Amino acid sequence: MPIKLNLNSKSLKAVLKTCGVIFEVDNKRSRLAEIEKLSEQPEIWNNQKEMQKLQKERSLLSKAINEFDDLKSTVDDALVLLELAVEGSDEESFEEVQTHVQKALKLSDSLELKKMLGGEADLNGAYLAINAGAGGTEACDWAGILMRMYTRWGEQHGYKVEMLDMTPGEGAGIKSCTMSFEGEYAFGYLKAESGVHRLVRISPFDSNARRHTSFASVFAYPEVEDDIEIEIKDVDLKIDTFRAGGAGGQHVNKTESAVRITHMPSGIIVQCQSQRSQHSNKDKALKMLKARMYEKMIEEKNKERDKMNSVKKAIEWGSQIRSYVMQPYQLVKDHRTDFETGNVNAVMDGGIDDFIYSYLRSEKNV
């Protein structure tokens, strides 16, 4: 459950103490000091892989500690202002206290979510695959709307978003696409979006203005670090090249630079056409394949991750995780958590944080 803050000094201090325990701040400070000592040892500098691992851990610990220190500073400021407001019966100071409390709530929510993101790959960047369901132009348009929604969400959160592969729809939208989100915790958040998404609206493609229902599937899987060993044998790969699609004119690729790789033992297929050179596309496609195989390895190692597979159902009625209703009323509802909002436009513009957070909290409470 989210942490709640009340406007009295005793509860503010109690919450701060609770946060310190929940987020294991003392342990993080001890581990950071330990890493600083290890970093001074010459043998560590001779082991580049180990050094990179320690530097990454140090960076994450420092960020976590700074976030908690920011929370503590905000609560301390609120305590001082609260004391002044009570002494002087100053309404303006009370309003300032409320501003600090709201900031503290956001900071504690952020810390709480990162505490929940403790899965093996939650910290990693992510790949996101979107596929239109049955329904032709209507379904392709819906898949294109989702692609824009996730692009906007990624940009709003400072992720580097790259389109790796896209098949345009006939008339509108897309048949499918694969995007990458580069940055910390991208997979931890986007794994909440895996499943079938349902749209209900008056179709702009129907001359009779009838209401249509469309479906698209979304599946997130994590990027993997270069030091993670996944065995991929050349003999198991079928590599095809083809001309990359484009918007016409100078964007049309005259050479077969796009690459499709099929891993025959598993049946996994990945493709990339975002780069101009075949070599670069092959490198990215191999990285995507490694990520897909890593995700499969995690699922096999931990059967609880079969929950993710269970959402990869047929893209049809009754299997959706979330519904987006635009007409005759406006509502977006997550069927796993029952969280809902009537602000459809904000959601379509990337405002999906509340859906992600409610899902992560529900999974943590299972």
Side-chain angles (χ1 to χ4, degrees), residues 30-41 58 62:
S30 297
R31 176 57 183 162
L32 183 60
E34 188 180 326
I35 289 173
E36 297 289 356
K37 285 184 179 179
L38 283 171
S39 300
E40 294 171 1
Q41 298 177 9
R58 177 168 57 185
S62 295

Side-chain angles (χ1 to χ4, degrees), residues 173-234:
I174 60 167
K175 290 181 180 178
S176 65
C177 75
T178 302
M179 312 158 69
S180 68
F181 293 76
E182 189 179 314
E184 291 174 5
Y185 294 105
F187 176 67
Y189 294 129
L190 286 173
K191 67 181 182 183
E193 296 301 293
S194 287
V196 176
H197 297 244
R198 168 180 171 248
L199 170 70
V200 179
R201 67 173 177 176
I202 303 297
S203 173
F205 307 102
D206 188 335
S207 58
N208 295 316
R210 290 172 294 189
R211 192 170 61 178
H212 285 245
T213 300
S214 308
F215 299 91
S217 72
V218 174
F219 183 60
Y221 54 103
E223 284 188 340
V224 295
E225 301 295 332
D226 292 334
D227 58 355
I228 293 177
E229 293 184 11
I230 305 290
E231 186 180 9
I232 301 176
K233 297 177 181 176
D234 290 343

Side-chain angles (χ1 to χ4, degrees), residues 300-327:
E300 289 172 354
K301 193 166 70 172
N302 184 357
K303 294 301 180 184
E304 287 182 7
R305 292 297 292 276
D306 285 344
K307 292 176 187 175
M308 284 191 68
N309 283 335
S310 69
V311 301
K312 295 166 69 178
K313 303 173 184 176
I315 310 175
E316 58 191 15
W317 183 271
S319 64
Q320 66 271 4
I321 63 163
R322 193 179 300 151
S323 291
Y324 306 72
V325 182
M326 295 186 178
Q327 285 99 15

